[in-house]
Amino acid sequence: MKRYKLNYLCFMLLVGVLASCASEDELTAIEDKTTNHFAPDPDAMDEESVLRRNFYDEEKCYLLFNDTLQSEKLSTSYAGNDAYFVETVDLGYKIGATSTYNQYQFQYMQSIEEKEAAAAFLQEYIMPHLGKSLRPFSWLLVNQVSSYDIYTYMTTQYKLVVGERCIAISLNGILSMSDAAKESLAKEIFASYLGEKFAQQESALTSFYEPVAHLHDSYIGDLGLDNYNVMNWMNENGFVSPIITYKLDLGYYVLILYSTSMCPSKNLDVSDYTNLIFTYTMDEIRAQYGAYPLIVERAEILNNLIVELGYIP
């Protein structure tokens, strides 16, 4: 009798296992309803959506003309006020940061002609020089990017702001901009963007920093040099930045808080050199700074590193 009960129990367990296997075979996939808010609606055929879709197909980067990615109504209060969930590109966000210091404001492009000219500028002057490693997830093209500092009450305007998942560029006047002006603007964008990328990858700059590593952020005011000789001293020691002067602009007058002579920080140092490289050719740099061999040497080092980073001359 006991043997019979044991066999029956085993039989029921086997039936249960087989039934569960059969039910697993019958599982159906759950539809993924995730929406990519960086891309236009796939069914939209308006001129802006087609422009953005074509840009992505050709460049594999998303194109935006507004920093709002989605705005979804959640509810309406008793007073009739609507509550929304809003997602933006949030340029100030940094991975690992607990708060955002900079809050950016944007002046958007209004006409499709502006947007087409801005996209054409990007494709003609910027994208051909960016290898895969330098291409951002998305571009935000606007007339103006600015931020307001609540402590100094000052508004700062930017040509370019690099975020974690988006780069914003100010392109005010792009419709009437000459080819020469576009070339100049492209160089400013490259200098700013690559300087930012290098600041994020300090280890790649070891050979560039090494000759002056002992001087970054050092105070040289006690050397007793006048302004001209301070600049000459900086050039001899491998720096191209001017004397640092701090000012507070109150609108009706400018208050100089203090003026001091210091060697630049690492970030300012690499920014100075990226600007130098995109302002002049290497031959022009050699001619201009021939009396300062350390500047020429460091410019050549950084010029090679820029190509290694992914820039296509």
Side-chain angles (χ1 to χ4, degrees):
M1 186 70 176
K2 289 182 179 179
R3 182 183 297 274
Y4 171 78
K5 289 182 177 179
L6 181 61
N7 289 341
Y8 178 76
L9 180 61
C10 291
F11 173 75
M12 293 304 294
L13 287 172
L14 180 61
V15 169
V17 169
L18 292 175
S20 65
C21 291
S23 62
E24 286 180 4
D25 291 339
E26 295 171 1
L27 292 177
T28 57
I30 299 175
E31 181 184 357
D32 183 3
K33 296 183 179 180
T34 303
T35 301
N36 178 6
H37 295 289
F38 283 84
D41 186 322
D43 297 324
M45 294 305 295
D46 59 280
E47 291 178 295
E48 181 178 322
S49 295
V50 172
L51 175 65
R52 292 173 58 203
R53 192 178 299 117
N54 290 343
F55 184 90
Y56 180 83
D57 290 343
E58 295 170 17
E59 307 295 350
K60 304 308 177 191
C61 299
Y62 292 105
L63 184 63
L64 305 171
F65 297 103
N66 192 302
D67 69 312
T68 299
L69 297 176
Q70 60 169 317
S71 179
E72 180 182 347
K73 184 178 177 181
L74 299 178
S75 62
T76 302
S77 69
Y78 288 112
N81 299 317
D82 295 332
Y84 289 86
F85 169 76
V86 179
E87 180 188 5
T88 69
V89 294
D90 195 2
L91 291 175
Y93 168 75
K94 300 294 181 185
I95 293 176
T98 57
S99 63
T100 297
Y101 177 72
N102 279 328
Q103 296 292 332
Y104 296 97
Q105 294 87 41
F106 307 94
Q107 292 180 12
Y108 301 119
M109 296 179 178
Q110 300 301 316
S111 69
I112 187 62
E113 289 79 16
E114 281 183 294
K115 295 172 184 178
E116 288 174 343
F121 165 78
L122 208 60
Q123 289 193 281
E124 184 176 351
Y125 290 90
I126 304 297
M127 301 307 295
H129 299 285
L130 298 182
K132 186 176 180 180
S133 61
L134 283 178
R135 296 194 168 205
F137 185 74
S138 67
W139 298 93
L140 171 60
L141 306 186
V142 294
N143 280 330
Q144 185 61 61
V145 186
S146 61
S147 68
Y148 180 72
D149 192 314
I150 60 173
Y151 299 106
T152 63
Y153 307 106
M154 294 178 67
T155 297
T156 303
Q157 295 183 341
Y158 304 89
K159 285 290 185 186
L160 174 140
V161 177
V162 179
E164 292 286 352
R165 54 183 184 170
C166 183
I167 295 178
I169 304 179
S170 297
L171 293 175
N172 192 33
I174 190 65
L175 270 175
S176 58
M177 201 174 289
S178 67
D179 290 344
K182 290 177 182 177
E183 287 276 5
S184 178
L185 176 59
K187 289 179 180 179
E188 287 184 55
I189 290 170
F190 289 132
S192 180
Y193 178 39
L194 295 175
E196 183 87 15
K197 293 293 287 186
F198 274 129
Q200 298 169 5
Q201 303 179 34
E202 187 175 315
S203 60
L205 295 170
T206 301
S207 59
F208 171 75
Y209 285 142
E210 190 173 18
V212 298
H214 60 295
L215 292 173
H216 285 128
D217 290 313
S218 60
Y219 176 66
I220 61 172
D222 55 6
L223 294 180
L225 303 172
D226 59 27
N227 287 356
Y228 171 78
N229 286 318
V230 165
M231 196 67 249
N232 185 62
W233 184 94
M234 285 190 174
N235 289 164
E236 287 178 345
N237 285 275
F239 296 114
V240 297
S241 64
I243 302 168
I244 301 171
T245 301
Y246 295 86
K247 298 180 180 180
L248 179 60
D249 189 346
L250 299 179
Y252 46 89
Y253 68 92
V254 174
L255 172 66
I256 299 179
L257 300 179
Y258 59 92
S259 178
T260 185
S261 300
M262 292 185 68
C263 295
S265 64
K266 286 184 174 180
N267 286 352
L268 182 57
D269 191 18
V270 73
S271 176
D272 287 338
Y273 269 88
T274 50
N275 278 300
L276 183 69
I277 288 168
F278 282 101
T279 302
Y280 304 102
T281 66
M282 281 308 304
D283 286 340
E284 289 171 335
I285 292 172
R286 293 185 188 99
Q288 182 175 344
Y289 292 97
Y292 306 105
L294 190 51
I295 287 183
V296 175
E297 176 188 338
R298 299 187 71 212
E300 289 174 341
I301 290 172
L302 192 65
N303 192 53
N304 292 332
L305 289 174
I306 284 172
V307 175
E308 292 178 15
L309 189 65
Y311 177 78
I312 303 169

